[in-house]
Amino acid sequence: MTVTCVWPLGALLGEGPVWHDGALWFVDIKSDRIHRFDPANGDRRSWTTPPRPGFLAPRRSGGFIVGLKRGLHDFDPASGTFLLRQEVDADHPGNRLNDGFVDAAGRLWFGTMDDAGRAPTGSLWRYDARGLAMMDPGYRITNGPAMSPDGRTLYHVDTLGRTIYAFDVDAGGALSNRRLFATVARGYPDGPAVDAEGTLWCALYGGWGIDRFAPDGRLIGHVALPCAAVTKAAFGGPDRRTLYVTTARQELSPAALAEQPLAGGLFALPVAVPGLPQGVFG
């Protein structure tokens, strides 16, 4: 697979790529930025955000929901404004929101984590028309979630535990039967994405690439990238056959940056199997 750096912007902690409205949107958590890349004309735009944008999710009514440090906010790209929608995890002021996903039913799933990555105060959450619900506690760093093509299995990542869990999902969004899906030996599992055949592509923080897992959890492939801290993958393009990948350069020494000058860039590679359609909240 030919991997191309389509935007060498040097993000400190690039994350949360989503394909929406003909462009790839993503965040830089540690630089407080939202970025938009249009592959049709190469246009690149950026917005300054309040502290710690962990993800953005398109809304059916327009604009995005953005997970910021203290909660869910509505973001209007035209004006660049943010409006608090829902406070999250008020009992844990050291937490922030980290990574999210909208399923085919329009429900938002996301994680919280200790901003220092030390205390197990993070949780997996669900947010929809019924409100906010905490679904699974006890994480130091959460990533994902992602969902199978039939919408019956949700995958969630315990990054520091080097573990990907699977849950059964019912029609109402209730979770049950948490179980081990896969463990990661090369680096730490970060953001996942699922393709139309149910293959899970998991970014590897410190692992120099992406691991691919079959629906039964078997490791079936690896895609190498020219930087160590690979944070999340998302399918995009008009046919969803381009895999976009965010990366990071935080905490790299001068020697490491010299070895991997494209760290923090946005990458793209063609894939044979398309991804699932991007979910829209609402």
Side-chain angles (χ1 to χ4, degrees):
M1 296 180 178
T2 302
V3 177
T4 303
C5 184
V6 295
W7 190 353
L9 79 165
L12 286 178
L13 183 53
E15 256 287 8
V18 295
W19 179 262
H20 180 65
D21 195 24
L24 195 283
W25 299 73
F26 62 106
V27 302
D28 183 344
I29 297 174
K30 294 297 179 70
S31 296
D32 299 335
R33 303 282 276 174
I34 288 172
H35 301 292
R36 180 185 185 272
F37 171 70
D38 185 340
N41 57 21
D43 182 60
R44 302 166 177 175
R45 294 190 60 194
S46 300
W47 292 260
T48 299
T49 75
R52 298 294 194 258
F55 64 85
L56 68 169
R59 300 181 311 176
R60 196 168 304 281
S61 58
F64 293 86
I65 294 178
V66 177
L68 296 167
K69 178 172 172 57
R70 296 307 315 138
L72 302 171
H73 289 67
D74 291 319
F75 166 57
D76 176 18
S79 63
T81 56
F82 294 83
L83 180 65
L84 178 65
R85 167 188 280 260
Q86 174 72 56
E87 189 174 14
V88 178
D89 230 1
D91 293 339
H92 295 102
N95 279 10
R96 66 171 174 83
L97 278 64
N98 188 60
D99 209 2
F101 158 81
V102 180
D103 67 20
R107 298 175 296 225
L108 174 63
W109 302 83
F110 65 93
T112 52
M113 60 169 281
D114 175 22
D115 200 12
R118 298 190 185 99
T121 53
S123 300
L124 169 63
W125 301 78
R126 186 194 68 211
Y127 180 68
D128 58 18
R130 298 166 292 183
L132 183 67
M134 194 270 284
M135 307 301 291
D136 194 44
Y139 296 86
R140 283 190 286 166
I141 297 179
T142 65
N143 271 291
M147 197 168 284
S148 62
D150 63 7
R152 297 173 63 182
T153 303
L154 181 134
Y155 304 101
H156 189 231
V157 176
D158 176 357
T159 294
L160 293 184
R162 289 184 162 140
T163 300
I164 305 170
Y165 291 109
F167 298 78
D168 293 338
V169 188
D170 72 12
L175 301 183
S176 62
N177 188 28
R178 185 176 98 156
R179 59 199 180 272
L180 175 67
F181 174 72
T183 56
V184 168
R186 181 169 21 203
Y188 294 87
D190 209 306
V194 176
D195 67 25
E197 293 183 350
T199 300
L200 186 142
W201 301 64
C202 186
L204 304 172
Y205 196 96
W208 294 84
I210 301 167
D211 276 350
R212 297 174 58 216
F213 296 91
D216 62 5
R218 289 178 298 115
L219 179 64
I220 57 173
H222 178 79
V223 178
L225 269 78
C227 48
V230 183
T231 56
K232 188 163 185 176
F235 294 91
D239 56 2
R240 301 192 301 277
R241 292 179 186 269
T242 299
L243 191 70
Y244 288 96
V245 185
T246 50
T247 64
R249 63 166 48 204
Q250 63 175 355
E251 301 175 354
L252 291 181
S253 68
L257 284 172
E259 180 186 9
Q260 41 185 309
L262 295 177
L266 174 67
F267 293 82
L269 61 144
V271 292
V273 178
L276 299 174
Q278 171 63 48
V280 178
F281 177 83

Short mmCIF file of all heavy atoms in Angstrom, two decimals, residues 182-228:
data_model
loop_
_atom_site.label_atom_id
_atom_site.label_comp_id
_atom_site.label_asym_id
_atom_site.label_seq_id
_atom_site.Cartn_x
_atom_site.Cartn_y
_atom_site.Cartn_z
N ALA A 182 -9.05 -8.41 21.09
CA ALA A 182 -7.67 -8.59 20.65
C ALA A 182 -6.74 -7.86 21.61
O ALA A 182 -7.14 -6.91 22.28
CB ALA A 182 -7.47 -8.06 19.22
N THR A 183 -5.51 -8.30 21.66
CA THR A 183 -4.45 -7.58 22.37
C THR A 183 -3.42 -7.14 21.34
O THR A 183 -3.26 -7.75 20.28
CB THR A 183 -3.79 -8.45 23.45
OG1 THR A 183 -3.30 -9.66 22.84
CG2 THR A 183 -4.78 -8.81 24.53
N VAL A 184 -2.70 -6.08 21.68
CA VAL A 184 -1.73 -5.47 20.78
C VAL A 184 -0.35 -5.57 21.39
O VAL A 184 -0.16 -5.19 22.56
CB VAL A 184 -2.11 -4.01 20.48
CG1 VAL A 184 -0.97 -3.28 19.79
CG2 VAL A 184 -3.39 -3.95 19.65
N ALA A 185 0.60 -6.07 20.62
CA ALA A 185 1.97 -6.22 21.11
C ALA A 185 2.89 -5.13 20.58
O ALA A 185 3.93 -4.84 21.18
CB ALA A 185 2.52 -7.59 20.71
N ARG A 186 2.52 -4.51 19.46
CA ARG A 186 3.37 -3.53 18.79
C ARG A 186 2.85 -2.14 19.13
O ARG A 186 1.88 -1.67 18.55
CB ARG A 186 3.34 -3.80 17.29
CG ARG A 186 4.19 -2.88 16.46
CD ARG A 186 4.34 -3.35 15.03
NE ARG A 186 3.31 -4.25 14.57
CZ ARG A 186 3.47 -5.10 13.55
NH1 ARG A 186 4.61 -5.15 12.90
NH2 ARG A 186 2.48 -5.89 13.16
N GLY A 187 3.46 -1.47 20.11
CA GLY A 187 2.96 -0.17 20.53
C GLY A 187 1.70 -0.32 21.35
O GLY A 187 1.45 -1.34 21.99
N TYR A 188 0.85 0.74 21.32
CA TYR A 188 -0.39 0.78 22.09
C TYR A 188 -1.56 1.01 21.14
O TYR A 188 -1.48 1.88 20.27
CB TYR A 188 -0.33 1.91 23.11
CG TYR A 188 0.71 1.71 24.18
CD1 TYR A 188 2.04 2.13 24.00
CD2 TYR A 188 0.39 1.09 25.40
CE1 TYR A 188 3.00 1.93 24.97
CE2 TYR A 188 1.34 0.90 26.39
CZ TYR A 188 2.64 1.31 26.16
OH TYR A 188 3.59 1.12 27.14
N PRO A 189 -2.64 0.27 21.31
CA PRO A 189 -3.78 0.49 20.42
C PRO A 189 -4.39 1.86 20.63
O PRO A 189 -4.60 2.29 21.77
CB PRO A 189 -4.75 -0.63 20.83
CG PRO A 189 -4.41 -0.93 22.26
CD PRO A 189 -2.92 -0.73 22.35
N ASP A 190 -4.67 2.53 19.52
CA ASP A 190 -5.26 3.87 19.58
C ASP A 190 -6.59 3.82 18.82
O ASP A 190 -7.34 2.87 18.97
CB ASP A 190 -4.27 4.89 19.02
CG ASP A 190 -4.43 6.28 19.63
OD1 ASP A 190 -5.56 6.80 19.61
OD2 ASP A 190 -3.45 6.84 20.14
N GLY A 191 -6.88 4.81 17.97
CA GLY A 191 -8.20 4.89 17.35
C GLY A 191 -8.46 3.83 16.30
O GLY A 191 -7.63 3.63 15.41
N PRO A 192 -9.62 3.15 16.34
CA PRO A 192 -9.97 2.14 15.35
C PRO A 192 -10.98 2.63 14.32
O PRO A 192 -11.69 3.62 14.53
CB PRO A 192 -10.59 1.04 16.23
CG PRO A 192 -11.31 1.83 17.30
CD PRO A 192 -10.51 3.09 17.52
N ALA A 193 -11.06 1.89 13.21
CA ALA A 193 -12.10 2.08 12.20
C ALA A 193 -12.43 0.72 11.62
O ALA A 193 -11.57 -0.17 11.57
CB ALA A 193 -11.63 3.04 11.10
N VAL A 194 -13.68 0.54 11.17
CA VAL A 194 -14.14 -0.74 10.65
C VAL A 194 -14.55 -0.57 9.20
O VAL A 194 -15.21 0.41 8.84
CB VAL A 194 -15.32 -1.27 11.49
CG1 VAL A 194 -15.88 -2.57 10.89
CG2 VAL A 194 -14.88 -1.50 12.93
N ASP A 195 -14.16 -1.54 8.35
CA ASP A 195 -14.55 -1.47 6.94
C ASP A 195 -15.81 -2.28 6.68
O ASP A 195 -16.40 -2.89 7.59
CB ASP A 195 -13.39 -1.87 6.02
CG ASP A 195 -12.99 -3.34 6.13
OD1 ASP A 195 -13.83 -4.18 6.51
OD2 ASP A 195 -11.82 -3.65 5.81
N ALA A 196 -16.24 -2.30 5.40
CA ALA A 196 -17.52 -2.92 5.04
C ALA A 196 -17.52 -4.43 5.22
O ALA A 196 -18.59 -5.05 5.27
CB ALA A 196 -17.87 -2.56 3.60
N GLU A 197 -16.36 -5.04 5.30
CA GLU A 197 -16.27 -6.48 5.54
C GLU A 197 -16.09 -6.82 7.02
O GLU A 197 -15.94 -7.98 7.37
CB GLU A 197 -15.13 -7.08 4.73
CG GLU A 197 -15.37 -7.03 3.22
CD GLU A 197 -14.25 -7.69 2.42
OE1 GLU A 197 -13.20 -8.01 3.03
OE2 GLU A 197 -14.44 -7.87 1.20
N GLY A 198 -16.10 -5.82 7.88
CA GLY A 198 -15.97 -6.04 9.30
C GLY A 198 -14.55 -6.10 9.82
O GLY A 198 -14.33 -6.38 11.00
N THR A 199 -13.56 -5.84 8.95
CA THR A 199 -12.17 -5.78 9.39
C THR A 199 -11.95 -4.53 10.23
O THR A 199 -12.38 -3.44 9.84
CB THR A 199 -11.22 -5.78 8.18
OG1 THR A 199 -11.43 -6.97 7.43
CG2 THR A 199 -9.77 -5.70 8.62
N LEU A 200 -11.28 -4.68 11.36
CA LEU A 200 -10.98 -3.55 12.23
C LEU A 200 -9.55 -3.10 12.00
O LEU A 200 -8.61 -3.89 12.10
CB LEU A 200 -11.21 -3.92 13.69
CG LEU A 200 -11.08 -2.77 14.70
CD1 LEU A 200 -12.13 -2.90 15.80
CD2 LEU A 200 -9.69 -2.73 15.33
N TRP A 201 -9.38 -1.82 11.66
CA TRP A 201 -8.08 -1.20 11.45
C TRP A 201 -7.77 -0.37 12.70
O TRP A 201 -8.48 0.59 13.01
CB TRP A 201 -8.10 -0.30 10.23
CG TRP A 201 -8.48 -0.96 8.93
CD1 TRP A 201 -9.68 -1.54 8.63
CD2 TRP A 201 -7.66 -1.10 7.77
NE1 TRP A 201 -9.65 -2.02 7.34
CE2 TRP A 201 -8.43 -1.76 6.79
CE3 TRP A 201 -6.36 -0.71 7.46
CZ2 TRP A 201 -7.94 -2.06 5.53
CZ3 TRP A 201 -5.86 -0.99 6.19
CH2 TRP A 201 -6.64 -1.66 5.25
N CYS A 202 -6.72 -0.72 13.42
CA CYS A 202 -6.41 -0.06 14.68
C CYS A 202 -5.07 0.66 14.60
O CYS A 202 -4.03 0.02 14.36
CB CYS A 202 -6.40 -1.06 15.83
SG CYS A 202 -6.20 -0.29 17.45
N ALA A 203 -5.09 1.97 14.80
CA ALA A 203 -3.85 2.74 14.84
C ALA A 203 -3.02 2.33 16.04
O ALA A 203 -3.55 1.96 17.10
CB ALA A 203 -4.17 4.24 14.89
N LEU A 204 -1.70 2.42 15.90
CA LEU A 204 -0.77 1.98 16.94
C LEU A 204 0.08 3.14 17.40
O LEU A 204 0.95 3.62 16.66
CB LEU A 204 0.12 0.86 16.41
CG LEU A 204 -0.60 -0.37 15.86
CD1 LEU A 204 0.40 -1.31 15.20
CD2 LEU A 204 -1.38 -1.08 16.95
N TYR A 205 -0.16 3.61 18.61
CA TYR A 205 0.65 4.69 19.17
C TYR A 205 1.98 4.10 19.63
O TYR A 205 2.02 3.24 20.51
CB TYR A 205 -0.07 5.35 20.34
CG TYR A 205 0.50 6.70 20.71
CD1 TYR A 205 -0.07 7.86 20.21
CD2 TYR A 205 1.61 6.81 21.53
CE1 TYR A 205 0.45 9.11 20.53
CE2 TYR A 205 2.13 8.04 21.86
CZ TYR A 205 1.55 9.19 21.35
OH TYR A 205 2.08 10.41 21.67
N GLY A 206 3.05 4.54 19.02
CA GLY A 206 4.36 3.96 19.29
C GLY A 206 4.63 2.69 18.49
O GLY A 206 5.67 2.05 18.68
N GLY A 207 3.74 2.34 17.59
CA GLY A 207 3.87 1.10 16.83
C GLY A 207 4.15 1.28 15.36
O GLY A 207 4.15 0.30 14.61
N TRP A 208 4.34 2.52 14.89
CA TRP A 208 4.76 2.80 13.52
C TRP A 208 3.78 2.26 12.47
O TRP A 208 4.18 1.81 11.41
CB TRP A 208 6.16 2.24 13.24
CG TRP A 208 7.25 2.89 14.02
CD1 TRP A 208 7.64 2.59 15.30
CD2 TRP A 208 8.11 3.96 13.59
NE1 TRP A 208 8.68 3.39 15.68
CE2 TRP A 208 9.01 4.24 14.65
CE3 TRP A 208 8.23 4.68 12.41
CZ2 TRP A 208 9.98 5.23 14.57
CZ3 TRP A 208 9.21 5.67 12.32
CH2 TRP A 208 10.06 5.93 13.39
N GLY A 209 2.48 2.30 12.75
CA GLY A 209 1.56 1.86 11.72
C GLY A 209 0.19 1.50 12.24
O GLY A 209 -0.27 1.99 13.27
N ILE A 210 -0.48 0.62 11.50
CA ILE A 210 -1.85 0.21 11.77
C ILE A 210 -1.91 -1.31 11.69
O ILE A 210 -1.41 -1.91 10.73
CB ILE A 210 -2.83 0.80 10.73
CG1 ILE A 210 -2.77 2.34 10.75
CG2 ILE A 210 -4.25 0.32 10.95
CD1 ILE A 210 -3.46 2.97 9.56
N ASP A 211 -2.52 -1.94 12.68
CA ASP A 211 -2.80 -3.37 12.63
C ASP A 211 -4.21 -3.60 12.12
O ASP A 211 -5.13 -2.82 12.42
CB ASP A 211 -2.66 -4.02 14.02
CG ASP A 211 -1.22 -4.40 14.35
OD1 ASP A 211 -0.35 -4.34 13.45
OD2 ASP A 211 -0.96 -4.75 15.52
N ARG A 212 -4.39 -4.71 11.37
CA ARG A 212 -5.71 -5.09 10.86
C ARG A 212 -6.13 -6.39 11.52
O ARG A 212 -5.36 -7.35 11.56
CB ARG A 212 -5.67 -5.24 9.34
CG ARG A 212 -5.32 -3.96 8.59
CD ARG A 212 -5.17 -4.24 7.10
NE ARG A 212 -6.38 -4.82 6.55
CZ ARG A 212 -6.39 -5.76 5.59
NH1 ARG A 212 -5.26 -6.21 5.09
NH2 ARG A 212 -7.52 -6.24 5.14
N PHE A 213 -7.38 -6.42 12.00
CA PHE A 213 -7.92 -7.59 12.68
C PHE A 213 -9.16 -8.08 11.97
O PHE A 213 -10.05 -7.29 11.60
CB PHE A 213 -8.27 -7.25 14.13
CG PHE A 213 -7.09 -6.87 14.98
CD1 PHE A 213 -6.70 -5.54 15.09
CD2 PHE A 213 -6.35 -7.84 15.64
CE1 PHE A 213 -5.62 -5.18 15.87
CE2 PHE A 213 -5.25 -7.49 16.41
CZ PHE A 213 -4.88 -6.15 16.53
N ALA A 214 -9.26 -9.40 11.78
CA ALA A 214 -10.46 -10.01 11.25
C ALA A 214 -11.59 -9.88 12.27
O ALA A 214 -11.35 -9.63 13.45
CB ALA A 214 -10.19 -11.48 10.93
N PRO A 215 -12.85 -10.08 11.84
CA PRO A 215 -13.97 -9.97 12.78
C PRO A 215 -13.89 -10.93 13.96
O PRO A 215 -14.55 -10.69 14.99
CB PRO A 215 -15.19 -10.27 11.91
CG PRO A 215 -14.78 -9.84 10.53
CD PRO A 215 -13.33 -10.20 10.44
N ASP A 216 -13.09 -11.99 13.84
CA ASP A 216 -12.93 -12.91 14.97
C ASP A 216 -11.74 -12.56 15.86
O ASP A 216 -11.41 -13.30 16.78
CB ASP A 216 -12.82 -14.35 14.49
CG ASP A 216 -11.59 -14.59 13.61
OD1 ASP A 216 -10.77 -13.67 13.43
OD2 ASP A 216 -11.45 -15.72 13.08
N GLY A 217 -11.10 -11.40 15.59
CA GLY A 217 -10.00 -10.94 16.43
C GLY A 217 -8.62 -11.36 15.99
O GLY A 217 -7.63 -10.96 16.62
N ARG A 218 -8.50 -12.14 14.92
CA ARG A 218 -7.18 -12.55 14.44
C ARG A 218 -6.45 -11.37 13.79
O ARG A 218 -7.06 -10.62 13.02
CB ARG A 218 -7.30 -13.67 13.40
CG ARG A 218 -7.71 -15.01 13.96
CD ARG A 218 -7.85 -16.04 12.84
NE ARG A 218 -8.90 -15.66 11.89
CZ ARG A 218 -8.68 -15.34 10.61
NH1 ARG A 218 -7.44 -15.35 10.12
NH2 ARG A 218 -9.70 -15.03 9.82
N LEU A 219 -5.16 -11.24 14.08
CA LEU A 219 -4.33 -10.25 13.41
C LEU A 219 -4.06 -10.73 11.99
O LEU A 219 -3.50 -11.81 11.78
CB LEU A 219 -3.02 -10.05 14.16
CG LEU A 219 -2.03 -9.06 13.56
CD1 LEU A 219 -2.59 -7.65 13.56
CD2 LEU A 219 -0.70 -9.11 14.33
N ILE A 220 -4.47 -9.95 10.98
CA ILE A 220 -4.34 -10.39 9.59
C ILE A 220 -3.47 -9.47 8.75
O ILE A 220 -3.26 -9.75 7.55
CB ILE A 220 -5.72 -10.54 8.93
CG1 ILE A 220 -6.51 -9.23 8.98
CG2 ILE A 220 -6.50 -11.67 9.58
CD1 ILE A 220 -7.81 -9.25 8.19
N GLY A 221 -2.96 -8.38 9.30
CA GLY A 221 -2.12 -7.51 8.49
C GLY A 221 -1.60 -6.32 9.27
O GLY A 221 -2.05 -6.04 10.39
N HIS A 222 -0.64 -5.63 8.67
CA HIS A 222 -0.04 -4.44 9.26
C HIS A 222 0.33 -3.48 8.14
O HIS A 222 0.87 -3.89 7.11
CB HIS A 222 1.21 -4.80 10.06
CG HIS A 222 1.91 -3.62 10.66
ND1 HIS A 222 1.47 -2.98 11.80
CD2 HIS A 222 3.03 -2.94 10.25
CE1 HIS A 222 2.28 -1.98 12.08
NE2 HIS A 222 3.23 -1.93 11.16
N VAL A 223 0.01 -2.21 8.32
CA VAL A 223 0.40 -1.16 7.38
C VAL A 223 1.41 -0.27 8.08
O VAL A 223 1.13 0.28 9.15
CB VAL A 223 -0.82 -0.33 6.93
CG1 VAL A 223 -0.38 0.80 6.00
CG2 VAL A 223 -1.86 -1.21 6.27
N ALA A 224 2.60 -0.14 7.50
CA ALA A 224 3.65 0.67 8.11
C ALA A 224 3.51 2.13 7.72
O ALA A 224 3.15 2.46 6.58
CB ALA A 224 5.02 0.16 7.68
N LEU A 225 3.78 3.03 8.68
CA LEU A 225 3.82 4.47 8.43
C LEU A 225 5.19 5.00 8.83
O LEU A 225 5.88 4.38 9.63
CB LEU A 225 2.73 5.20 9.21
CG LEU A 225 1.40 5.38 8.46
CD1 LEU A 225 0.59 4.10 8.48
CD2 LEU A 225 0.58 6.53 9.01
N PRO A 226 5.59 6.16 8.28
CA PRO A 226 6.94 6.68 8.54
C PRO A 226 7.06 7.48 9.83
O PRO A 226 7.92 8.33 9.95
CB PRO A 226 7.20 7.56 7.32
CG PRO A 226 5.87 8.08 6.94
CD PRO A 226 4.91 6.95 7.23
N CYS A 227 6.17 7.22 10.80
CA CYS A 227 6.27 7.87 12.11
C CYS A 227 5.69 6.93 13.15
O CYS A 227 4.87 6.06 12.85
CB CYS A 227 5.59 9.23 12.12
SG CYS A 227 3.95 9.26 11.45
N ALA A 228 6.14 7.10 14.38
CA ALA A 228 5.83 6.13 15.43
C ALA A 228 4.43 6.30 16.00
O ALA A 228 3.72 5.31 16.20
CB ALA A 228 6.86 6.25 16.55
#
